[in-house]
Amino acid sequence: MKPNTTTTPPTSPAASLTEAEILDWLHEEDPANLEELWARADAVRKAHVGDEVHLRGLLEISNHCIRRCGYCGLRADNHRVERYRMTEAEVMACAAEAVAYGYGTVVMQSGEDYGIQTDWLANIIRRIKTETPLAVTLSMGERPDEDLEAWREAGADRYLLRFETSNRALYRMIHPDARGKVSDRFAILARLRELGYEVGSGVMIGIPGQSYATLAHDIHLFRSLDLDMVGVGPYIGHPETPLGKGEWSARLPEGEQVPNTELMTYKVVALTRIVCPEANIPSTTALATLNRDQGREQGLTRGANVIMPNITPMHYRTRYEIYPAKVCLQETGPAFYRNIQDRIRSIGRRPGEGQGNRIRGRT
Ligand code: 5AD
């Protein structure tokens, strides 16, 4: 297993930002100044992770969830969701498809579903790692240590767990505890690191009750956590959730609420690149949902270096509705894959080869 390295990355002073500077950038509205931000993020991206755009096939293996997050359409009490759990054979067929498309990684994601048993998933991980060249990323929620250990032992390479917001009060409101345990995602991220996973986290942008100061602190934290992967995307209201219905929202004083806009998302992607020069940063589906035509490309030219095409079979994909109108519902099959490749080349980049791990100390 890979040794666990916890050293902070070498970063030139020019590439770092203080929390106050991050906050100023979040408030910046002048297009000329923002051009400077995009250019700086793009230069840092090029210097540290190069022109490759890594493709990760996203496989949504189950939409069962025991949690009651205020923002997510898969929350346990949304009874309108028709629940599914993929079979081993289905997962393996999708992994083969990811290989055929030339993707370097399969990302298996689900709600927090204890119907996904430790050994069942460990066996699938082992099979993918022995039968394919894929890296395996997991995004299964706040599972107990024993599960994280078993899956790492089985060969899983990476784990994604967004901390969503660093504001304790807001987090507790939108993310109620479950199974009698206080949710501490930072403790889980530390544990994942100890186990030798590449660790990914991130936040939603524009959660009702999220202030500029909180978001600046979140971005600053990405750096202190030395994250290998950072996923950020706009919060998109889901009508079957308390936040989407406006029931739970904490109103902030005028001017303090972060908007869940495309522009704000680009700012956060760019700032994330500057504070985490070596991280793998996706241009997310949520961003593409706000701007179907150009969202992904713009994300890639403002700091991002990863795209996560959805490879979930269509009859399941429509039921994995974290937020409404996910753009990936139109994105399917070999035609979409070729289209993604063309779009990457059209902005002067190239599809990544190999697994696309974090590379330390390249410059
Ligand atoms: N809008 C945007 N992103 C969402 N997520 C969950 N619900 C929403 C929503 N309504 C994000 C969370 C979670 C990731 C898998 O999806 O950040 O960590």
Side-chain angles (χ1 to χ4, degrees):
M1 256 172 220
K2 269 181 294 180
N4 163 41
T5 43
T6 50
T7 48
T8 38
T11 317
S12 68
S16 60
L17 290 169
T18 64
E19 196 167 321
E21 287 169 328
I22 294 170
L23 184 58
D24 284 346
W25 276 119
L26 292 176
H27 282 293
E28 183 62 63
E29 295 291 332
D30 181 328
N33 291 341
L34 286 171
E35 286 302 326
E36 201 183 297
L37 179 63
W38 314 146
R40 181 167 166 189
D42 201 44
V44 174
R45 186 271 307 156
K46 195 175 171 73
H48 290 266
V49 296
D51 284 336
E52 284 185 298
V53 175
H54 299 292
L55 296 167
R56 329 277 206 204
L58 176 63
L59 187 55
E60 296 152 335
I61 65 175
S62 159
N63 69 351
H64 290 265
C65 192
I66 62 152
R67 310 299 297 229
R68 298 185 155 75
C69 302
Y71 46 87
C72 181
L74 300 186
R75 66 201 310 276
D77 14 19
N78 184 1
H79 300 294
R80 300 209 171 165
V81 180
E82 214 186 316
R83 306 282 169 171
Y84 71 86
R85 196 175 288 126
M86 289 175 67
T87 65
E88 176 178 341
E90 287 171 328
V91 173
M92 292 309 295
C94 291
E97 201 173 303
V99 176
Y101 288 152
Y103 299 160
T105 299
V106 63
V107 181
M108 288 190 274
Q109 188 178 81
S110 71
E112 199 167 306
D113 173 17
Y114 292 91
I116 293 182
Q117 285 164 355
T118 318
D119 294 344
W120 179 85
L121 186 59
N123 171 54
I124 288 182
I125 295 166
R126 235 177 270 113
R127 283 194 62 194
I128 296 175
K129 294 300 291 183
T130 50
E131 296 171 28
T132 80
L134 296 170
V136 170
T137 302
L138 302 178
S139 175
M140 320 293 299
E142 300 171 35
R143 300 282 302 220
D145 279 7
E146 305 82 75
D147 294 354
L148 306 177
E149 279 166 33
W151 296 335
R152 176 72 186 135
E153 200 63 43
D157 301 280
R158 313 182 188 130
Y159 204 100
L160 304 174
L161 184 68
R162 291 186 178 176
F163 61 81
E164 316 293 3
T165 173
S166 61
N167 179 315
R168 288 300 303 167
L170 179 60
Y171 181 76
R172 290 188 67 79
M173 183 183 81
I174 66 175
H175 188 87
D177 293 333
R179 310 172 90 221
K181 269 201 352 229
V182 173
S183 167
D184 184 350
R185 290 193 170 189
F186 293 106
I188 300 175
L189 292 171
R191 185 71 194 123
L192 289 165
R193 178 78 81 189
E194 282 170 9
L195 290 169
Y197 283 96
E198 274 196 23
V199 177
S201 194
V203 298
M204 286 177 288
I205 299 159
I207 308 165
Q210 180 189 51
S211 69
Y212 282 85
T214 292
L215 183 55
H217 188 64
D218 295 343
I219 297 168
H220 199 247
L221 258 180
F222 296 161
R223 181 183 177 78
S224 337
L225 292 168
D226 187 21
L227 295 173
D228 303 305
M229 303 167 283
V230 188
V232 296
Y235 160 75
I236 298 172
H238 189 298
E240 298 300 327
T241 62
L243 273 195
K245 289 179 185 155
E247 290 170 2
W248 284 9
S249 94
R251 285 228 189 293
L252 289 170
E254 182 74 22
E256 283 190 24
Q257 170 67 46
V258 173
N260 60 342
T261 57
E262 193 186 345
L263 181 65
M264 186 55 70
T265 306
Y266 296 137
K267 290 186 203 173
V268 178
V269 168
L271 293 165
T272 300
R273 170 58 66 202
I274 295 168
V275 300
C276 295
E278 297 180 344
N280 283 314
I281 301 176
S283 191
T284 53
T285 304
L287 178 54
T289 298
L290 293 192
N291 180 345
R292 266 157 218 267
D293 297 332
Q294 284 296 314
R296 278 213 183 80
E297 284 86 339
Q298 301 255 57
L300 289 174
T301 57
R302 295 169 177 184
N305 72 321
V306 168
I307 288 184
M308 297 170 66
N310 197 308
I311 57 168
T312 311
M314 200 47 88
H315 57 288
Y316 293 139
R317 205 186 294 186
T318 51
R319 297 192 233 162
Y320 200 86
E321 199 187 59
I322 294 178
Y323 50 83
K326 269 166 76 187
V327 68
C328 65
L329 297 181
Q330 282 84 48
E331 298 179 340
T332 175
F336 174 69
Y337 175 59
R338 278 192 299 278
N339 177 264
I340 277 276
Q341 295 231 336
D342 291 345
R343 288 164 76 163
I344 290 169
R345 293 203 176 88
S346 77
I347 54 167
R349 306 273 280 278
R350 58 176 190 279
E353 278 168 29
Q355 296 187 341
N357 293 320
R358 172 178 180 177
I359 297 168
R360 287 175 186 268
R362 175 172 160 152
T363 55

